[in-house]
Amino acid sequence: MMRSYGQYCGLARSLEVVGDRWNLLIVRQLLIAPARYRDLLEGLPGIATNMLADRLRDLETAGVLERRLTGEGCAVEYALTPWGSELRQPIEGLIRWSTPLMIRGPEADAFRPEWLALAVPALLDTRVTTRPSATIGLEIGDAPFQLRASSSGFEIGAQDGSALDATVRADPAYILGLAAGALTLGDARALGVVEVDGDESVVLAVFAA
Amino acid sequence: MMRSYGQYCGLARSLEVVGDRWNLLIVRQLLIAPARYRDLLEGLPGIATNMLADRLRDLETAGVLERRLTGEGCAVEYALTPWGSELRQPIEGLIRWSTPLMIRGPEADAFRPEWLALAVPALLDTRVTTRPSATIGLEIGDAPFQLRASSSGFEIGAQDGSALDATVRADPAYILGLAAGALTLGDARALGVVEVDGDESVVLAVFAA
DNA sequence: CCGCATCCTCATGGATACTG
DNA sequence: CAGTATCCATGAGGATGCGG
């Protein structure tokens, strides 16, 4: 638990809960989906096992997440509380703010396609939310997804057979930088084709509204 | 400078720049107004002098803030760059998220009236931004201010002679908690009168649109 | 004074090994 | 699988010094 700032300020008190190293990244993983301990270790490359255990305890105590026992046997699962889920807004703000840092490209950093599920909605132009019929196609690895944008938010589901209006193919490690710089739904423009040099590929397609 | 997370994720890269202890609180102070070293020390109760110096250097290197020489002589002043100013959005999100932490009240924490200049706009209901004529009166210490809300944002200026529609008097140390729980401009309701037990008082008044 | 730099101590983070 | 225990490196915090 972070040492108190001793300031009666909303920002300071928030940071006493989620300002510790790794905390917001754990919340990021749980915003994508509830997860088990092992999933979190994989989704947070570089974290030490004791750090993850400590942080999960802190965040549970603070009321940001909760431990749940899934149906089969005694499997432990971690999920955000309603209050913890509301961190989506500031986290999306930080993802948008990172644009100048992301367009440098991935360099030696790790990349996980699941992070797109959080980043792409955050990076889409806000005009999307006023166009109820907007739909974006996402293919992560071999699994095709469809990202539906409506006034009530974004929803990821199975992809139907809609024709593509524009298509982009990019290495997973570059897709975020490309999206940050160029992706807006208002004009649905193609981002261009980038060479794929890894064995894992992501196809990001923008459909017409 | 924070150790790298080694993740090609916008949130992780943002946190490598502003995730270190004190960094976002320094940005908070500069969002209120550009400030000198001494002002920052006073506005950040609890910070050590070497921490402030280190962080200012880090944030300048990262491009979040810049050192400026003010007109008279060689007085150093710190101000946010345009990119740094864009942290207002995620910071306001964290201020809103802190509501359950703030309604506990100030306890033993320090309070500075200037923090209201950031918190009040962040806590106002978003309906405010769709009512161009909305105006809020703020009195910090002896200085009366007027907070004008328009579609282009909030602006703080001198107070004119407008009649009050509702008035709230509260100790500065409680005003944030009250505002977080009860203040919406849509119905402009009074928050009630709270005893003032300090020598410094804040009057928060909600005007009719 | 203001704007830092140095020094020292202690809490925290990180890597690895290990256990129920 | 889901964490603890251990050890070491790093960073925070406080006091103080010091040049302009």
mmCIF file with all atom_site columns, all heavy atoms in Angstrom, chain B residues 25-30 33-45 47 52 56 65 77-78 114:
data_model
loop_
_atom_site.group_PDB
_atom_site.id
_atom_site.type_symbol
_atom_site.label_atom_id
_atom_site.label_alt_id
_atom_site.label_comp_id
_atom_site.label_asym_id
_atom_site.label_entity_id
_atom_site.label_seq_id
_atom_site.pdbx_PDB_ins_code
_atom_site.Cartn_x
_atom_site.Cartn_y
_atom_site.Cartn_z
_atom_site.occupancy
_atom_site.B_iso_or_equiv
_atom_site.pdbx_formal_charge
_atom_site.auth_seq_id
_atom_site.auth_comp_id
_atom_site.auth_asym_id
_atom_site.auth_atom_id
_atom_site.pdbx_PDB_model_num
ATOM 1   N N   . LEU B 1 25  ? 0.960  14.724 -9.076  1.00 0.00 ? 25  LEU B N   1
ATOM 2   C CA  . LEU B 1 25  ? 0.598  15.832 -8.181  1.00 0.00 ? 25  LEU B CA  1
ATOM 3   C C   . LEU B 1 25  ? 1.316  17.111 -8.603  1.00 0.00 ? 25  LEU B C   1
ATOM 4   O O   . LEU B 1 25  ? 0.765  18.212 -8.459  1.00 0.00 ? 25  LEU B O   1
ATOM 5   C CB  . LEU B 1 25  ? 0.930  15.471 -6.730  1.00 0.00 ? 25  LEU B CB  1
ATOM 6   C CG  . LEU B 1 25  ? 0.153  14.274 -6.162  1.00 0.00 ? 25  LEU B CG  1
ATOM 7   C CD1 . LEU B 1 25  ? 0.415  14.127 -4.670  1.00 0.00 ? 25  LEU B CD1 1
ATOM 8   C CD2 . LEU B 1 25  ? -1.335 14.426 -6.417  1.00 0.00 ? 25  LEU B CD2 1
ATOM 9   N N   . ILE B 1 26  ? 2.530  16.982 -9.124  1.00 0.00 ? 26  ILE B N   1
ATOM 10  C CA  . ILE B 1 26  ? 3.214  18.154 -9.668  1.00 0.00 ? 26  ILE B CA  1
ATOM 11  C C   . ILE B 1 26  ? 2.437  18.687 -10.870 1.00 0.00 ? 26  ILE B C   1
ATOM 12  O O   . ILE B 1 26  ? 2.217  19.897 -11.002 1.00 0.00 ? 26  ILE B O   1
ATOM 13  C CB  . ILE B 1 26  ? 4.662  17.803 -10.060 1.00 0.00 ? 26  ILE B CB  1
ATOM 14  C CG1 . ILE B 1 26  ? 5.486  17.504 -8.798  1.00 0.00 ? 26  ILE B CG1 1
ATOM 15  C CG2 . ILE B 1 26  ? 5.301  18.925 -10.868 1.00 0.00 ? 26  ILE B CG2 1
ATOM 16  C CD1 . ILE B 1 26  ? 6.867  16.924 -9.083  1.00 0.00 ? 26  ILE B CD1 1
ATOM 17  N N   . VAL B 1 27  ? 1.977  17.781 -11.720 1.00 0.00 ? 27  VAL B N   1
ATOM 18  C CA  . VAL B 1 27  ? 1.175  18.210 -12.873 1.00 0.00 ? 27  VAL B CA  1
ATOM 19  C C   . VAL B 1 27  ? -0.101 18.893 -12.393 1.00 0.00 ? 27  VAL B C   1
ATOM 20  O O   . VAL B 1 27  ? -0.527 19.900 -12.963 1.00 0.00 ? 27  VAL B O   1
ATOM 21  C CB  . VAL B 1 27  ? 0.860  17.009 -13.783 1.00 0.00 ? 27  VAL B CB  1
ATOM 22  C CG1 . VAL B 1 27  ? -0.110 17.406 -14.883 1.00 0.00 ? 27  VAL B CG1 1
ATOM 23  C CG2 . VAL B 1 27  ? 2.138  16.436 -14.376 1.00 0.00 ? 27  VAL B CG2 1
ATOM 24  N N   . ARG B 1 28  ? -0.703 18.359 -11.347 1.00 0.00 ? 28  ARG B N   1
ATOM 25  C CA  . ARG B 1 28  ? -1.899 18.991 -10.772 1.00 0.00 ? 28  ARG B CA  1
ATOM 26  C C   . ARG B 1 28  ? -1.633 20.455 -10.438 1.00 0.00 ? 28  ARG B C   1
ATOM 27  O O   . ARG B 1 28  ? -2.402 21.338 -10.813 1.00 0.00 ? 28  ARG B O   1
ATOM 28  C CB  . ARG B 1 28  ? -2.320 18.256 -9.498  1.00 0.00 ? 28  ARG B CB  1
ATOM 29  C CG  . ARG B 1 28  ? -3.424 18.933 -8.722  1.00 0.00 ? 28  ARG B CG  1
ATOM 30  C CD  . ARG B 1 28  ? -3.539 18.372 -7.311  1.00 0.00 ? 28  ARG B CD  1
ATOM 31  N NE  . ARG B 1 28  ? -2.447 18.831 -6.447  1.00 0.00 ? 28  ARG B NE  1
ATOM 32  C CZ  . ARG B 1 28  ? -2.171 18.334 -5.247  1.00 0.00 ? 28  ARG B CZ  1
ATOM 33  N NH1 . ARG B 1 28  ? -2.889 17.340 -4.760  1.00 0.00 ? 28  ARG B NH1 1
ATOM 34  N NH2 . ARG B 1 28  ? -1.177 18.810 -4.533  1.00 0.00 ? 28  ARG B NH2 1
ATOM 35  N N   . GLN B 1 29  ? -0.527 20.701 -9.743  1.00 0.00 ? 29  GLN B N   1
ATOM 36  C CA  . GLN B 1 29  ? -0.217 22.078 -9.342  1.00 0.00 ? 29  GLN B CA  1
ATOM 37  C C   . GLN B 1 29  ? -0.043 22.968 -10.574 1.00 0.00 ? 29  GLN B C   1
ATOM 38  O O   . GLN B 1 29  ? -0.496 24.112 -10.576 1.00 0.00 ? 29  GLN B O   1
ATOM 39  C CB  . GLN B 1 29  ? 1.058  22.114 -8.502  1.00 0.00 ? 29  GLN B CB  1
ATOM 40  C CG  . GLN B 1 29  ? 0.918  21.517 -7.133  1.00 0.00 ? 29  GLN B CG  1
ATOM 41  C CD  . GLN B 1 29  ? -0.171 22.177 -6.297  1.00 0.00 ? 29  GLN B CD  1
ATOM 42  O OE1 . GLN B 1 29  ? -1.134 21.529 -5.911  1.00 0.00 ? 29  GLN B OE1 1
ATOM 43  N NE2 . GLN B 1 29  ? -0.048 23.466 -6.039  1.00 0.00 ? 29  GLN B NE2 1
ATOM 44  N N   . LEU B 1 30  ? 0.600  22.444 -11.615 1.00 0.00 ? 30  LEU B N   1
ATOM 45  C CA  . LEU B 1 30  ? 0.845  23.273 -12.794 1.00 0.00 ? 30  LEU B CA  1
ATOM 46  C C   . LEU B 1 30  ? -0.393 23.414 -13.662 1.00 0.00 ? 30  LEU B C   1
ATOM 47  O O   . LEU B 1 30  ? -0.475 24.340 -14.477 1.00 0.00 ? 30  LEU B O   1
ATOM 48  C CB  . LEU B 1 30  ? 2.014  22.692 -13.601 1.00 0.00 ? 30  LEU B CB  1
ATOM 49  C CG  . LEU B 1 30  ? 3.346  22.692 -12.844 1.00 0.00 ? 30  LEU B CG  1
ATOM 50  C CD1 . LEU B 1 30  ? 4.441  22.082 -13.700 1.00 0.00 ? 30  LEU B CD1 1
ATOM 51  C CD2 . LEU B 1 30  ? 3.725  24.120 -12.434 1.00 0.00 ? 30  LEU B CD2 1
ATOM 52  N N   . ALA B 1 33  ? -1.902 26.554 -12.163 1.00 0.00 ? 33  ALA B N   1
ATOM 53  C CA  . ALA B 1 33  ? -1.214 27.738 -12.680 1.00 0.00 ? 33  ALA B CA  1
ATOM 54  C C   . ALA B 1 33  ? 0.278  27.414 -12.793 1.00 0.00 ? 33  ALA B C   1
ATOM 55  O O   . ALA B 1 33  ? 0.791  26.595 -12.025 1.00 0.00 ? 33  ALA B O   1
ATOM 56  C CB  . ALA B 1 33  ? -1.407 28.940 -11.756 1.00 0.00 ? 33  ALA B CB  1
ATOM 57  N N   . PRO B 1 34  ? 1.000  28.064 -13.731 1.00 0.00 ? 34  PRO B N   1
ATOM 58  C CA  . PRO B 1 34  ? 2.462  27.944 -13.718 1.00 0.00 ? 34  PRO B CA  1
ATOM 59  C C   . PRO B 1 34  ? 2.976  28.406 -12.358 1.00 0.00 ? 34  PRO B C   1
ATOM 60  O O   . PRO B 1 34  ? 2.357  29.261 -11.712 1.00 0.00 ? 34  PRO B O   1
ATOM 61  C CB  . PRO B 1 34  ? 2.905  28.890 -14.841 1.00 0.00 ? 34  PRO B CB  1
ATOM 62  C CG  . PRO B 1 34  ? 1.716  28.996 -15.734 1.00 0.00 ? 34  PRO B CG  1
ATOM 63  C CD  . PRO B 1 34  ? 0.519  28.888 -14.832 1.00 0.00 ? 34  PRO B CD  1
ATOM 64  N N   . ALA B 1 35  ? 4.083  27.844 -11.921 1.00 0.00 ? 35  ALA B N   1
ATOM 65  C CA  . ALA B 1 35  ? 4.518  28.117 -10.557 1.00 0.00 ? 35  ALA B CA  1
ATOM 66  C C   . ALA B 1 35  ? 6.038  28.079 -10.463 1.00 0.00 ? 35  ALA B C   1
ATOM 67  O O   . ALA B 1 35  ? 6.719  27.492 -11.303 1.00 0.00 ? 35  ALA B O   1
ATOM 68  C CB  . ALA B 1 35  ? 3.919  27.090 -9.596  1.00 0.00 ? 35  ALA B CB  1
ATOM 69  N N   . ARG B 1 36  ? 6.553  28.717 -9.427  1.00 0.00 ? 36  ARG B N   1
ATOM 70  C CA  . ARG B 1 36  ? 7.981  28.677 -9.143  1.00 0.00 ? 36  ARG B CA  1
ATOM 71  C C   . ARG B 1 36  ? 8.258  27.509 -8.204  1.00 0.00 ? 36  ARG B C   1
ATOM 72  O O   . ARG B 1 36  ? 7.350  26.899 -7.652  1.00 0.00 ? 36  ARG B O   1
ATOM 73  C CB  . ARG B 1 36  ? 8.416  30.004 -8.525  1.00 0.00 ? 36  ARG B CB  1
ATOM 74  C CG  . ARG B 1 36  ? 8.066  31.155 -9.438  1.00 0.00 ? 36  ARG B CG  1
ATOM 75  C CD  . ARG B 1 36  ? 8.677  32.423 -8.997  1.00 0.00 ? 36  ARG B CD  1
ATOM 76  N NE  . ARG B 1 36  ? 10.082 32.286 -8.627  1.00 0.00 ? 36  ARG B NE  1
ATOM 77  C CZ  . ARG B 1 36  ? 10.810 33.288 -8.172  1.00 0.00 ? 36  ARG B CZ  1
ATOM 78  N NH1 . ARG B 1 36  ? 10.255 34.471 -8.049  1.00 0.00 ? 36  ARG B NH1 1
ATOM 79  N NH2 . ARG B 1 36  ? 12.063 33.115 -7.846  1.00 0.00 ? 36  ARG B NH2 1
ATOM 80  N N   . TYR B 1 37  ? 9.523  27.232 -8.032  1.00 0.00 ? 37  TYR B N   1
ATOM 81  C CA  . TYR B 1 37  ? 9.947  26.114 -7.184  1.00 0.00 ? 37  TYR B CA  1
ATOM 82  C C   . TYR B 1 37  ? 9.339  26.234 -5.791  1.00 0.00 ? 37  TYR B C   1
ATOM 83  O O   . TYR B 1 37  ? 8.802  25.273 -5.245  1.00 0.00 ? 37  TYR B O   1
ATOM 84  C CB  . TYR B 1 37  ? 11.467 26.101 -7.129  1.00 0.00 ? 37  TYR B CB  1
ATOM 85  C CG  . TYR B 1 37  ? 12.082 24.930 -6.408  1.00 0.00 ? 37  TYR B CG  1
ATOM 86  C CD1 . TYR B 1 37  ? 12.334 23.743 -7.058  1.00 0.00 ? 37  TYR B CD1 1
ATOM 87  C CD2 . TYR B 1 37  ? 12.433 25.032 -5.072  1.00 0.00 ? 37  TYR B CD2 1
ATOM 88  C CE1 . TYR B 1 37  ? 12.911 22.671 -6.408  1.00 0.00 ? 37  TYR B CE1 1
ATOM 89  C CE2 . TYR B 1 37  ? 13.007 23.970 -4.402  1.00 0.00 ? 37  TYR B CE2 1
ATOM 90  C CZ  . TYR B 1 37  ? 13.247 22.796 -5.072  1.00 0.00 ? 37  TYR B CZ  1
ATOM 91  O OH  . TYR B 1 37  ? 13.817 21.746 -4.413  1.00 0.00 ? 37  TYR B OH  1
ATOM 92  N N   . ARG B 1 38  ? 9.393  27.421 -5.231  1.00 0.00 ? 38  ARG B N   1
ATOM 93  C CA  . ARG B 1 38  ? 8.879  27.631 -3.879  1.00 0.00 ? 38  ARG B CA  1
ATOM 94  C C   . ARG B 1 38  ? 7.371  27.401 -3.814  1.00 0.00 ? 38  ARG B C   1
ATOM 95  O O   . ARG B 1 38  ? 6.858  26.799 -2.878  1.00 0.00 ? 38  ARG B O   1
ATOM 96  C CB  . ARG B 1 38  ? 9.256  29.062 -3.431  1.00 0.00 ? 38  ARG B CB  1
ATOM 97  C CG  . ARG B 1 38  ? 8.579  29.571 -2.202  1.00 0.00 ? 38  ARG B CG  1
ATOM 98  C CD  . ARG B 1 38  ? 8.860  28.766 -0.979  1.00 0.00 ? 38  ARG B CD  1
ATOM 99  N NE  . ARG B 1 38  ? 10.270 28.387 -0.820  1.00 0.00 ? 38  ARG B NE  1
ATOM 100 C CZ  . ARG B 1 38  ? 10.735 27.714 0.226   1.00 0.00 ? 38  ARG B CZ  1
ATOM 101 N NH1 . ARG B 1 38  ? 9.886  27.355 1.183   1.00 0.00 ? 38  ARG B NH1 1
ATOM 102 N NH2 . ARG B 1 38  ? 12.003 27.395 0.300   1.00 0.00 ? 38  ARG B NH2 1
ATOM 103 N N   . ASP B 1 39  ? 6.657  27.866 -4.851  1.00 0.00 ? 39  ASP B N   1
ATOM 104 C CA  . ASP B 1 39  ? 5.210  27.655 -4.887  1.00 0.00 ? 39  ASP B CA  1
ATOM 105 C C   . ASP B 1 39  ? 4.885  26.167 -4.898  1.00 0.00 ? 39  ASP B C   1
ATOM 106 O O   . ASP B 1 39  ? 3.939  25.721 -4.236  1.00 0.00 ? 39  ASP B O   1
ATOM 107 C CB  . ASP B 1 39  ? 4.614  28.310 -6.137  1.00 0.00 ? 39  ASP B CB  1
ATOM 108 C CG  . ASP B 1 39  ? 4.914  29.794 -6.204  1.00 0.00 ? 39  ASP B CG  1
ATOM 109 O OD1 . ASP B 1 39  ? 4.993  30.431 -5.141  1.00 0.00 ? 39  ASP B OD1 1
ATOM 110 O OD2 . ASP B 1 39  ? 5.078  30.304 -7.328  1.00 0.00 ? 39  ASP B OD2 1
ATOM 111 N N   . LEU B 1 40  ? 5.666  25.404 -5.657  1.00 0.00 ? 40  LEU B N   1
ATOM 112 C CA  . LEU B 1 40  ? 5.415  23.972 -5.753  1.00 0.00 ? 40  LEU B CA  1
ATOM 113 C C   . LEU B 1 40  ? 5.653  23.291 -4.410  1.00 0.00 ? 40  LEU B C   1
ATOM 114 O O   . LEU B 1 40  ? 4.901  22.417 -3.995  1.00 0.00 ? 40  LEU B O   1
ATOM 115 C CB  . LEU B 1 40  ? 6.306  23.356 -6.834  1.00 0.00 ? 40  LEU B CB  1
ATOM 116 C CG  . LEU B 1 40  ? 5.939  23.793 -8.263  1.00 0.00 ? 40  LEU B CG  1
ATOM 117 C CD1 . LEU B 1 40  ? 6.986  23.305 -9.263  1.00 0.00 ? 40  LEU B CD1 1
ATOM 118 C CD2 . LEU B 1 40  ? 4.569  23.273 -8.644  1.00 0.00 ? 40  LEU B CD2 1
ATOM 119 N N   . LEU B 1 41  ? 6.720  23.691 -3.707  1.00 0.00 ? 41  LEU B N   1
ATOM 120 C CA  . LEU B 1 41  ? 6.985  23.118 -2.390  1.00 0.00 ? 41  LEU B CA  1
ATOM 121 C C   . LEU B 1 41  ? 5.805  23.362 -1.450  1.00 0.00 ? 41  LEU B C   1
ATOM 122 O O   . LEU B 1 41  ? 5.412  22.477 -0.690  1.00 0.00 ? 41  LEU B O   1
ATOM 123 C CB  . LEU B 1 41  ? 8.251  23.736 -1.792  1.00 0.00 ? 41  LEU B CB  1
ATOM 124 C CG  . LEU B 1 41  ? 9.592  23.093 -2.156  1.00 0.00 ? 41  LEU B CG  1
ATOM 125 C CD1 . LEU B 1 41  ? 10.716 23.777 -1.406  1.00 0.00 ? 41  LEU B CD1 1
ATOM 126 C CD2 . LEU B 1 41  ? 9.590  21.604 -1.854  1.00 0.00 ? 41  LEU B CD2 1
ATOM 127 N N   . GLU B 1 42  ? 5.225  24.558 -1.520  1.00 0.00 ? 42  GLU B N   1
ATOM 128 C CA  . GLU B 1 42  ? 4.090  24.873 -0.638  1.00 0.00 ? 42  GLU B CA  1
ATOM 129 C C   . GLU B 1 42  ? 2.824  24.148 -1.069  1.00 0.00 ? 42  GLU B C   1
ATOM 130 O O   . GLU B 1 42  ? 2.043  23.716 -0.232  1.00 0.00 ? 42  GLU B O   1
ATOM 131 C CB  . GLU B 1 42  ? 3.834  26.389 -0.646  1.00 0.00 ? 42  GLU B CB  1
ATOM 132 C CG  . GLU B 1 42  ? 4.901  27.177 0.097   1.00 0.00 ? 42  GLU B CG  1
ATOM 133 C CD  . GLU B 1 42  ? 4.717  28.688 -0.082  1.00 0.00 ? 42  GLU B CD  1
ATOM 134 O OE1 . GLU B 1 42  ? 3.718  29.098 -0.704  1.00 0.00 ? 42  GLU B OE1 1
ATOM 135 O OE2 . GLU B 1 42  ? 5.594  29.440 0.378   1.00 0.00 ? 42  GLU B OE2 1
ATOM 136 N N   . GLY B 1 43  ? 2.651  24.010 -2.392  1.00 0.00 ? 43  GLY B N   1
ATOM 137 C CA  . GLY B 1 43  ? 1.435  23.390 -2.897  1.00 0.00 ? 43  GLY B CA  1
ATOM 138 C C   . GLY B 1 43  ? 1.469  21.872 -2.829  1.00 0.00 ? 43  GLY B C   1
ATOM 139 O O   . GLY B 1 43  ? 0.460  21.209 -3.067  1.00 0.00 ? 43  GLY B O   1
ATOM 140 N N   . LEU B 1 44  ? 2.639  21.306 -2.511  1.00 0.00 ? 44  LEU B N   1
ATOM 141 C CA  . LEU B 1 44  ? 2.789  19.856 -2.417  1.00 0.00 ? 44  LEU B CA  1
ATOM 142 C C   . LEU B 1 44  ? 3.272  19.479 -1.024  1.00 0.00 ? 44  LEU B C   1
ATOM 143 O O   . LEU B 1 44  ? 4.390  18.976 -0.858  1.00 0.00 ? 44  LEU B O   1
ATOM 144 C CB  . LEU B 1 44  ? 3.791  19.362 -3.474  1.00 0.00 ? 44  LEU B CB  1
ATOM 145 C CG  . LEU B 1 44  ? 3.353  19.554 -4.924  1.00 0.00 ? 44  LEU B CG  1
ATOM 146 C CD1 . LEU B 1 44  ? 4.536  19.464 -5.870  1.00 0.00 ? 44  LEU B CD1 1
ATOM 147 C CD2 . LEU B 1 44  ? 2.304  18.516 -5.298  1.00 0.00 ? 44  LEU B CD2 1
ATOM 148 N N   . PRO B 1 45  ? 2.437  19.719 -0.006  1.00 0.00 ? 45  PRO B N   1
ATOM 149 C CA  . PRO B 1 45  ? 2.887  19.442 1.357   1.00 0.00 ? 45  PRO B CA  1
ATOM 150 C C   . PRO B 1 45  ? 3.340  17.996 1.510   1.00 0.00 ? 45  PRO B C   1
ATOM 151 O O   . PRO B 1 45  ? 2.650  17.079 1.098   1.00 0.00 ? 45  PRO B O   1
ATOM 152 C CB  . PRO B 1 45  ? 1.637  19.727 2.213   1.00 0.00 ? 45  PRO B CB  1
ATOM 153 C CG  . PRO B 1 45  ? 0.502  19.750 1.259   1.00 0.00 ? 45  PRO B CG  1
ATOM 154 C CD  . PRO B 1 45  ? 1.050  20.171 -0.051  1.00 0.00 ? 45  PRO B CD  1
ATOM 155 N N   . ILE B 1 47  ? 6.337  16.836 0.238   1.00 0.00 ? 47  ILE B N   1
ATOM 156 C CA  . ILE B 1 47  ? 7.371  16.457 -0.727  1.00 0.00 ? 47  ILE B CA  1
ATOM 157 C C   . ILE B 1 47  ? 8.739  16.896 -0.206  1.00 0.00 ? 47  ILE B C   1
ATOM 158 O O   . ILE B 1 47  ? 8.863  17.933 0.460   1.00 0.00 ? 47  ILE B O   1
ATOM 159 C CB  . ILE B 1 47  ? 7.089  17.061 -2.117  1.00 0.00 ? 47  ILE B CB  1
ATOM 160 C CG1 . ILE B 1 47  ? 7.913  16.333 -3.188  1.00 0.00 ? 47  ILE B CG1 1
ATOM 161 C CG2 . ILE B 1 47  ? 7.398  18.555 -2.131  1.00 0.00 ? 47  ILE B CG2 1
ATOM 162 C CD1 . ILE B 1 47  ? 7.560  16.736 -4.602  1.00 0.00 ? 47  ILE B CD1 1
ATOM 163 N N   . LEU B 1 52  ? 11.374 16.922 -5.411  1.00 0.00 ? 52  LEU B N   1
ATOM 164 C CA  . LEU B 1 52  ? 10.812 17.907 -6.329  1.00 0.00 ? 52  LEU B CA  1
ATOM 165 C C   . LEU B 1 52  ? 11.803 18.240 -7.436  1.00 0.00 ? 52  LEU B C   1
ATOM 166 O O   . LEU B 1 52  ? 11.448 18.267 -8.620  1.00 0.00 ? 52  LEU B O   1
ATOM 167 C CB  . LEU B 1 52  ? 10.406 19.165 -5.558  1.00 0.00 ? 52  LEU B CB  1
ATOM 168 C CG  . LEU B 1 52  ? 9.797  20.271 -6.409  1.00 0.00 ? 52  LEU B CG  1
ATOM 169 C CD1 . LEU B 1 52  ? 8.578  19.774 -7.168  1.00 0.00 ? 52  LEU B CD1 1
ATOM 170 C CD2 . LEU B 1 52  ? 9.430  21.469 -5.544  1.00 0.00 ? 52  LEU B CD2 1
ATOM 171 N N   . LEU B 1 56  ? 11.081 17.385 -11.327 1.00 0.00 ? 56  LEU B N   1
ATOM 172 C CA  . LEU B 1 56  ? 10.993 18.475 -12.298 1.00 0.00 ? 56  LEU B CA  1
ATOM 173 C C   . LEU B 1 56  ? 11.947 18.213 -13.465 1.00 0.00 ? 56  LEU B C   1
ATOM 174 O O   . LEU B 1 56  ? 11.610 18.449 -14.619 1.00 0.00 ? 56  LEU B O   1
ATOM 175 C CB  . LEU B 1 56  ? 11.317 19.807 -11.622 1.00 0.00 ? 56  LEU B CB  1
ATOM 176 C CG  . LEU B 1 56  ? 10.240 20.326 -10.662 1.00 0.00 ? 56  LEU B CG  1
ATOM 177 C CD1 . LEU B 1 56  ? 10.733 21.564 -9.922  1.00 0.00 ? 56  LEU B CD1 1
ATOM 178 C CD2 . LEU B 1 56  ? 8.955  20.642 -11.422 1.00 0.00 ? 56  LEU B CD2 1
ATOM 179 N N   . LEU B 1 65  ? 6.715  19.282 -18.973 1.00 0.00 ? 65  LEU B N   1
ATOM 180 C CA  . LEU B 1 65  ? 6.757  20.678 -18.544 1.00 0.00 ? 65  LEU B CA  1
ATOM 181 C C   . LEU B 1 65  ? 8.026  21.335 -19.062 1.00 0.00 ? 65  LEU B C   1
ATOM 182 O O   . LEU B 1 65  ? 8.908  20.674 -19.615 1.00 0.00 ? 65  LEU B O   1
ATOM 183 C CB  . LEU B 1 65  ? 6.660  20.786 -17.016 1.00 0.00 ? 65  LEU B CB  1
ATOM 184 C CG  . LEU B 1 65  ? 7.693  20.052 -16.156 1.00 0.00 ? 65  LEU B CG  1
ATOM 185 C CD1 . LEU B 1 65  ? 9.006  20.828 -16.045 1.00 0.00 ? 65  LEU B CD1 1
ATOM 186 C CD2 . LEU B 1 65  ? 7.134  19.806 -14.767 1.00 0.00 ? 65  LEU B CD2 1
ATOM 187 N N   . GLU B 1 77  ? 10.483 29.745 -13.702 1.00 0.00 ? 77  GLU B N   1
ATOM 188 C CA  . GLU B 1 77  ? 9.087  29.368 -13.562 1.00 0.00 ? 77  GLU B CA  1
ATOM 189 C C   . GLU B 1 77  ? 8.853  28.071 -14.322 1.00 0.00 ? 77  GLU B C   1
ATOM 190 O O   . GLU B 1 77  ? 9.449  27.844 -15.375 1.00 0.00 ? 77  GLU B O   1
ATOM 191 C CB  . GLU B 1 77  ? 8.182  30.475 -14.125 1.00 0.00 ? 77  GLU B CB  1
ATOM 192 C CG  . GLU B 1 77  ? 6.723  30.301 -13.784 1.00 0.00 ? 77  GLU B CG  1
ATOM 193 C CD  . GLU B 1 77  ? 5.892  31.405 -14.393 1.00 0.00 ? 77  GLU B CD  1
ATOM 194 O OE1 . GLU B 1 77  ? 5.884  31.534 -15.632 1.00 0.00 ? 77  GLU B OE1 1
ATOM 195 O OE2 . GLU B 1 77  ? 5.251  32.153 -13.637 1.00 0.00 ? 77  GLU B OE2 1
ATOM 196 N N   . TYR B 1 78  ? 8.009  27.201 -13.766 1.00 0.00 ? 78  TYR B N   1
ATOM 197 C CA  . TYR B 1 78  ? 7.689  25.925 -14.405 1.00 0.00 ? 78  TYR B CA  1
ATOM 198 C C   . TYR B 1 78  ? 6.272  25.986 -14.957 1.00 0.00 ? 78  TYR B C   1
ATOM 199 O O   . TYR B 1 78  ? 5.358  26.464 -14.300 1.00 0.00 ? 78  TYR B O   1
ATOM 200 C CB  . TYR B 1 78  ? 7.823  24.784 -13.400 1.00 0.00 ? 78  TYR B CB  1
ATOM 201 C CG  . TYR B 1 78  ? 9.236  24.633 -12.888 1.00 0.00 ? 78  TYR B CG  1
ATOM 202 C CD1 . TYR B 1 78  ? 9.665  25.281 -11.738 1.00 0.00 ? 78  TYR B CD1 1
ATOM 203 C CD2 . TYR B 1 78  ? 10.153 23.861 -13.592 1.00 0.00 ? 78  TYR B CD2 1
ATOM 204 C CE1 . TYR B 1 78  ? 10.965 25.154 -11.283 1.00 0.00 ? 78  TYR B CE1 1
ATOM 205 C CE2 . TYR B 1 78  ? 11.456 23.719 -13.149 1.00 0.00 ? 78  TYR B CE2 1
ATOM 206 C CZ  . TYR B 1 78  ? 11.857 24.378 -11.995 1.00 0.00 ? 78  TYR B CZ  1
ATOM 207 O OH  . TYR B 1 78  ? 13.144 24.255 -11.562 1.00 0.00 ? 78  TYR B OH  1
ATOM 208 N N   . GLU B 1 114 ? -6.601 26.234 -3.429  1.00 0.00 ? 114 GLU B N   1
ATOM 209 C CA  . GLU B 1 114 ? -6.319 26.275 -4.865  1.00 0.00 ? 114 GLU B CA  1
ATOM 210 C C   . GLU B 1 114 ? -6.699 24.961 -5.556  1.00 0.00 ? 114 GLU B C   1
ATOM 211 O O   . GLU B 1 114 ? -6.957 24.932 -6.755  1.00 0.00 ? 114 GLU B O   1
ATOM 212 C CB  . GLU B 1 114 ? -4.830 26.581 -5.090  1.00 0.00 ? 114 GLU B CB  1
ATOM 213 C CG  . GLU B 1 114 ? -3.921 25.432 -4.676  1.00 0.00 ? 114 GLU B CG  1
ATOM 214 C CD  . GLU B 1 114 ? -2.532 25.875 -4.200  1.00 0.00 ? 114 GLU B CD  1
ATOM 215 O OE1 . GLU B 1 114 ? -2.468 26.657 -3.236  1.00 0.00 ? 114 GLU B OE1 1
ATOM 216 O OE2 . GLU B 1 114 ? -1.546 25.430 -4.795  1.00 0.00 ? 114 GLU B OE2 1
#
